[in-house]
């Protein structure tokens, strides 16, 4: 990329506070509408874990929270917001509006640094990525991470342009907020501060100072790896419930390549914009990139490299976790394009149409239900079933938390493969209709029905709506399904037919 020297930027277009306010209001209304519209989707596996662990403040499930690999900040925020609602309401997803506020604050900082037009382009590129559209609506920390990452990268660019102590203090505050929310938030906070310090030392053009900067980056990376390693050792009390500490066999180079490839597919608008600039440069139609583009990449490179190092042991480098890199990559693309490139990309309807086509699949997927755990758990938590074993393929803390959320029935969890005719007796004696609850597993309808046939079990497999209406042999039960005892009418008809 060549030697990066001064952080001088072109003249900033005039932008009044009134223009900026209207700009942020329009973007904010669009995203707020999408968040509210998308909040009616049924909760899926991870969201039930979050909601169940959070409870309603101060009734937090502290053993679960302390055992999780992620810091407790997001769970505590969910717990506070949950007090506004009666029961496990989808309205708790309004917490994502806090992430939207951080996102808008980041765009405001970028507008003062780059000018309004280019800040809008950065915001559009971030907002049109498939990861953003899919994850910013979930009851997880991703929406907050995205907003704070946008703000952090905006402050980082301001620091590159005009080094000030206030910028470093603000970066420190953003890093603390990121680190309170998520495992990868901690990593990004380290990366932002390390990048800012290295950029300062690089501008001094002193090899000794540059070496000191690299030592700082190495120290921050080592601290994160040590912190992560302590978490990944497992809970000494044997109560760790995090699914991040998976089998090492699931990690490795092939897993990392797959993850990065899937991530790149989910940021296609950013890649398309960068490819367009590269094409213009190849044809001699574009000038040099703006200073700062390289430094915007450094934080993302640090996140990916450090995550990949951990990923060789355990698959922490997931596509969802890499959402923290989206703002930095979008900003790098805009800086690489420069003012001339951004104006060229913004001219005419073709770029807007191409962007809409790239964003459409992500937007469609964002509003589609993934799983319907509330439906499954309500079937399983029938009060008449209290004390009756519940058979599952993925028994664990999510089942326990879900039963508490949706009915309160206490049912011991048993592996589905132990199900037999004798095991159905407790449910038959008390009239408990739901014997098993299945979700977050990759088995198909055909596989489950083959298992029932092999065990000579007269149970009915029912998928959560709307998947039950369109079920086929290869439909996955991961969307949510239950195994029920046949109704008295069905038994009577079966006896009459025999």
């Amino acid at each position: 990329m060549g030697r990066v020297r001064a952080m001088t930027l072109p003249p900033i277009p005039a932008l009044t506070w009134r223009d900026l306010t209207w700009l942020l209001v329009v973007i904010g209304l669009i995203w707020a509408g999408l968040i509210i519209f998308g909040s009616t989707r049924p909760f899926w596996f991870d969201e039930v874990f979050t909601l169940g662990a959070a409870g309603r403040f101060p009734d937090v499930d502290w053993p679960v929270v302390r055992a999780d690999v992620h810091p407790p900040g997001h769970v505590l925020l969910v717990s506070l917001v949950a007090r506004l609602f009666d029961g496990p309401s989808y309205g708790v997803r309004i917490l994502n509006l806090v992430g939207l506020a951080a996102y808008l604050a980041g765009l405001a900082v970028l507008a003062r640094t780059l000018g309004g037009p280019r800040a809008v382009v950065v915001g559009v590129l971030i907002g049109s990525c498939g990861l953003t559209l899919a994850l910013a609506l979930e009851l997880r920390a991703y929406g907050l991470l995205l907003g704070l990452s946008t703000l952090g990268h905006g402050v980082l660019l301001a620091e590159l342009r005009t080094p000030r102590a206030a910028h470093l203090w603000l970066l420190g505050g953003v890093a603390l907020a990121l680190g309170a929310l998520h495992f990868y938030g901690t990593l990004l906070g380290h990366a932002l501060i390390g990048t800012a310090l290295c950029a300062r030392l690089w501008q001094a053009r002193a090899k000794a100072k540059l070496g000191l900067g690299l030592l700082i980056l190495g120290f921050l990376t080592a601290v994160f790896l040590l912190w992560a390693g302590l978490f990944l050792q497992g809970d000494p009390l044997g109560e760790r419930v995090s699914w991040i500490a998976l089998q090492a066999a699931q990690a490795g180079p092939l897993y990392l390549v797959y993850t990065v490839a899937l991530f790149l597919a989910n940021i296609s608008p950013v890649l398309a914009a960068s490819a367009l600039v590269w094409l213009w440069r190849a044809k001699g139609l574009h000038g040099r990139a703006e200073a700062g583009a390289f430094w915007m990449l450094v934080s993302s490179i640090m996140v990916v490299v450090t995550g990949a190092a951990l990923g060789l042991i355990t698959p922490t480098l997931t596509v969802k976790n890499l959402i923290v890199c989206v703002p930095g990559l979008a900003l790098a693309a805009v800086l690489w394009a420069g003012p001339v490139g951004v104006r060229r990309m913004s001219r005419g309807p073709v770029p807007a149409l191409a962007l809409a086509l790239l964003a459409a699949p992500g937007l469609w997927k964002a509003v589609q239900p993934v799983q319907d755990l509330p439906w499954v758990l309500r079937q399983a938590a029938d009060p008449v079933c209290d004390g009756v074993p519940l058979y599952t393929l993925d028994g664990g803390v999510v089942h326990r938390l879900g039963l508490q959320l949706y009915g309160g029935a206490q049912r011991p969890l048993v592996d589905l493969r132990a199900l037999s005719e004798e095991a159905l007796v407790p449910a038959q004696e008390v009239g408990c209709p739901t014997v098993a609850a299945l979700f977050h597993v990759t088995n198909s309808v055909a596989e489950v029905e083959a298992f029932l046939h092999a065990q000579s079990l007269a149970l009915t497999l029912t998928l959560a709506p709307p998947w039950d209406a369109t079920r086929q042999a290869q439909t996955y039960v991961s969307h949510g399904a239950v195994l029920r005892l046949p109704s008295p009418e069905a038994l009577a008809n079966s006896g009459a037919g025999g």
Side-chain angles (χ1 to χ4, degrees):
M1 293 186 182
R3 183 176 173 84
V4 180
R5 297 184 182 275
M7 293 292 113
T8 55
L9 296 177
I12 302 172
L15 183 70
T16 66
W17 277 107
R18 181 178 179 181
D19 295 336
L20 179 58
T21 301
W22 277 111
L23 170 69
L24 297 181
V25 165
V26 171
I27 295 176
L29 288 176
I30 293 173
W31 265 105
L34 185 59
I35 289 172
I36 294 172
F37 174 74
S39 67
T40 58
R41 294 179 306 158
F43 291 127
W44 74 289
F45 189 87
D46 285 6
E47 292 177 304
V48 169
F49 170 82
T50 300
L51 198 60
R56 299 178 74 236
F57 194 84
D59 299 323
V60 180
D61 195 328
W62 287 111
V64 171
V65 173
R66 285 195 296 267
D68 190 26
V69 71
H70 296 301
H74 183 253
V75 170
L76 294 178
L77 288 175
V78 171
S79 183
L80 290 170
V81 175
R83 290 187 61 86
L84 303 175
F85 303 93
D86 184 18
S89 170
Y90 296 137
V92 181
R93 286 194 178 117
I94 64 171
L95 178 59
N96 287 319
L97 294 176
V98 177
L100 174 61
Y103 171 71
L104 295 176
L107 294 186
V109 173
L110 288 173
R112 285 304 186 187
T113 306
L114 292 176
R118 283 183 287 170
V120 170
V121 174
V122 173
V124 170
L125 287 178
I126 294 172
S128 59
C129 287
L131 273 182
T132 301
L133 293 166
L135 301 183
L137 309 182
E138 287 189 4
L139 188 63
R140 295 290 283 167
Y142 302 118
L144 297 177
L145 290 174
L146 184 74
L148 288 171
S149 177
T150 304
L151 177 58
H153 282 93
V155 175
L156 176 60
L157 183 61
E159 162 67 14
L160 294 178
R161 184 184 175 214
T162 309
R164 291 177 181 171
H167 293 152
L168 292 181
W169 281 106
L170 187 52
L171 270 180
V174 172
L176 284 174
L178 285 164
L181 293 172
H182 195 274
F183 185 82
Y184 265 65
T186 305
L187 176 51
L188 178 64
H190 280 77
L192 289 173
I193 294 174
T195 301
L197 293 176
C198 280
R200 277 196 174 198
L201 295 172
W202 181 278
Q203 290 177 60
R205 301 182 185 179
K207 291 183 179 180
K209 291 184 177 180
L210 176 59
L212 178 60
L214 294 176
L215 284 177
I216 291 173
L217 277 177
F219 174 76
L220 291 174
T221 302
V223 167
F224 176 80
L225 289 172
L226 177 63
W227 174 83
L230 291 176
F231 269 97
L232 295 175
Q233 288 301 313
D235 181 43
L237 300 178
E239 297 177 355
R240 179 163 298 283
V241 296
S242 172
W243 38 86
I244 277 189
L246 303 176
Q247 297 294 324
Q250 296 176 267
L254 185 60
Y255 173 84
L256 299 179
V257 171
Y258 165 78
T259 299
V260 172
L262 192 56
F263 170 70
L264 294 177
N266 274 277
I267 59 168
S268 56
V270 174
L271 296 181
S274 301
L276 194 58
V277 174
W278 177 83
L279 181 62
W280 287 334
R281 286 224 174 97
K283 293 185 176 182
L285 301 176
H286 203 338
R288 297 179 59 187
E290 286 188 57
F294 167 75
W295 292 107
M296 291 302 104
L297 291 176
V298 167
S299 60
S300 295
I301 292 172
M302 218 180 141
V303 168
V304 173
V305 170
T306 309
L310 288 172
L312 293 173
I313 304 170
T314 182
T316 58
L317 189 71
T318 66
V319 176
K320 291 186 175 185
N321 289 343
L322 290 179
I323 194 173
V324 299
C325 299
V326 172
L329 296 176
L331 187 52
V334 169
L335 290 172
W336 191 47
V340 175
V342 170
R343 283 196 293 269
R344 186 176 282 125
M345 282 191 293
S346 306
R347 189 180 303 160
V350 175
L353 180 60
L355 188 64
L357 291 175
L358 289 173
L363 181 60
W364 178 84
K365 185 178 179 181
V367 297
Q368 300 301 310
V370 178
Q371 296 173 333
D372 194 345
L373 260 65
W375 179 86
V376 175
L377 293 166
R378 287 191 182 100
Q379 313 301 311
D382 190 327
V384 75
C385 298
D386 194 54
V388 176
L390 178 67
Y391 291 84
T392 74
L393 280 174
D394 189 26
V397 68
V398 174
H399 289 80
R400 178 176 65 81
L401 294 174
L403 291 174
Q404 293 173 357
L405 282 171
Y406 294 98
Q410 299 298 311
R411 304 185 63 175
L413 303 176
V414 183
D415 192 290
L416 181 67
R417 287 161 289 193
L419 188 57
S420 63
E421 288 190 20
E422 294 77 13
L424 298 179
V425 173
Q428 293 167 340
E429 288 178 344
V430 299
C432 173
T434 302
V435 175
L438 306 174
F439 49 77
H440 212 59
V441 291
T442 56
N443 300 89
S444 66
V445 168
E447 290 172 333
V448 175
E449 290 180 339
F451 165 78
L452 296 177
H453 179 74
Q455 299 296 109
S456 300
L457 295 172
L459 296 175
T460 303
L461 174 64
T462 305
L463 273 62
W467 296 282
D468 197 59
T470 59
R471 61 186 283 178
Q472 298 178 0
Q474 298 307 313
T475 302
Y476 288 120
V477 298
S478 59
H479 302 298
V482 294
L483 292 177
R484 290 192 176 114
L485 292 173
S487 65
E489 294 79 8
L491 288 175
N493 292 335
S494 175

